[in-house]
Amino acid sequence: DTAVSQTPKYLVTQMGNDKSIKCEQNLGHDTMYWYKQDSKKFLKIMFSYNNKELIINETVPNRFSPKSPDKAHLNLHINSLELGDSAVYFCASSPQVGRGGLDEQFFGPGTRLTVL
Amino acid sequence: AQTVTQSQPEMSVQEAETVTLSCTYDTSESNYYLFWYKQPPSRQMILVIRQEAYKQQNATENRFSVNFQKAAKSFSLKISDSQLGDTAMYFCAETNFGNEKLTFGTGTRLTIIP
């Protein structure tokens, strides 16, 4: 069974469209994350949720909106896609908040988003 | 602000040899954690090894070990008896205790040559 899964794995779309990426974890973790890896492989955190509540919100355009319907799911919706949004987006989870570093973050397989 | 620097964009080594990847970091916190993650061509991020800053002993995981120099803020990864499956991007990362935000370096692309 996959611990952290993301759908879709690949997403190709036109500029200006709206798209969503879904993430699910079956580890029973409280905390989930979205990371962006750009074309130079630089990985940077975007958001973090703990038990459906937003706890980290980095400097990300308002076009990006995370949604956590329950603690096992964290989706990322992107409005008005731009060329610069092309990247690999990783979802991750960890057991609980407040233990940063004590617990491993488990990553999903990533979603490669290509905006044409 | 936390920063993590990996000064070696690419490295290559013959199979079975030992290779060391460099990482330096900058944090004002006293209690923090350091990590090495591996990203093979499959894109999956895999935790290789973790070091707690308050522990003086260097972490080891089978063929992987670290050289943690706290005063120098240096955290290098040594891979012994390198294998073809070690070919991957390697990322150094840091976080403070209680902070869920992982700060990553820019990565080192390691190629193991048969």
Side-chain angles (χ1 to χ4, degrees):
Chain A
D1 275 349
T2 304
V4 182
S5 59
Q6 294 180 228
T7 52
K9 286 198 171 59
Y10 298 92
L11 185 53
V12 181
T13 188
Q14 298 287 334
M15 219 165 43
N17 284 349
D18 303 339
K19 289 294 178 186
S20 291
I21 305 171
K22 295 186 176 182
C23 177
E24 176 181 3
Q25 53 94 2
N26 62 6
L27 297 167
H29 289 172
D30 285 347
T31 311
M32 296 184 73
Y33 314 79
W34 278 112
Y35 288 86
K36 178 181 180 181
Q37 186 174 41
D38 63 23
S39 58
K40 296 185 179 177
K41 299 291 189 180
F42 185 59
L43 201 61
K44 188 170 161 59
I45 192 165
M46 301 172 69
F47 302 103
S48 176
Y49 270 72
N50 182 66
N51 205 4
K52 303 192 295 178
E53 288 192 22
L54 183 66
I55 57 171
I56 294 175
N57 185 351
E58 290 293 286
T59 309
V60 178
N62 291 337
R63 299 181 295 103
F64 289 79
S65 53
K67 283 187 173 50
S68 182
D70 55 62
K71 73 174 193 177
H73 296 84
L74 180 61
N75 304 323
L76 183 65
H77 188 76
I78 316 170
N79 289 326
S80 303
L81 278 155
E82 300 177 357
L83 295 176
D85 297 333
S86 294
V88 179
Y89 293 85
F90 285 95
C91 178
S93 73
S94 64
Q96 57 186 132
V97 71
R99 290 171 51 86
L102 281 173
D103 297 323
E104 178 182 348
Q105 288 188 22
F106 291 82
F107 284 77
T111 295
R112 181 179 294 280
L113 171 65
T114 303
V115 182
L116 303 174
Chain B
Q2 298 157 261
T3 57
V4 177
T5 303
Q6 293 179 249
S7 58
Q8 304 151 313
E10 292 190 30
M11 294 187 72
S12 60
V13 66
Q14 293 283 343
E15 193 177 3
E17 290 187 350
T18 294
V19 61
T20 299
L21 308 183
S22 302
C23 172
T24 58
Y25 60 94
D26 188 14
T27 179
S28 56
E29 299 292 327
S30 58
N31 196 4
Y32 55 90
Y33 297 81
L34 298 161
F35 307 84
W36 279 98
Y37 276 88
K38 169 185 177 181
Q39 187 178 38
S42 67
R43 213 168 62 199
Q44 182 72 50
M45 293 287 289
I46 303 163
L47 179 65
V48 174
I49 199 164
R50 176 175 61 191
Q51 175 77 41
E52 295 156 5
Y54 62 85
K55 288 188 177 178
Q56 293 188 338
Q57 188 172 5
N58 288 326
T60 62
E61 287 287 343
N62 301 315
R63 297 182 295 109
F64 298 87
S65 61
V66 299
N67 184 2
F68 174 45
Q69 301 288 328
K70 192 171 184 177
K73 294 188 176 176
S74 169
F75 183 61
S76 59
L77 174 69
K78 186 171 87 170
I79 306 174
S80 303
D81 186 26
S82 56
Q83 300 174 0
L84 296 179
D86 295 333
T87 292
M89 284 287 291
Y90 285 81
F91 294 94
C92 181
E94 186 264 345
T95 190
N96 302 328
F97 176 72
N99 184 344
E100 274 57 45
K101 176 182 168 182
L102 271 176
T103 299
F104 285 89
T106 50
T108 297
R109 184 182 300 279
L110 175 65
T111 302
I112 308 301
I113 303 165

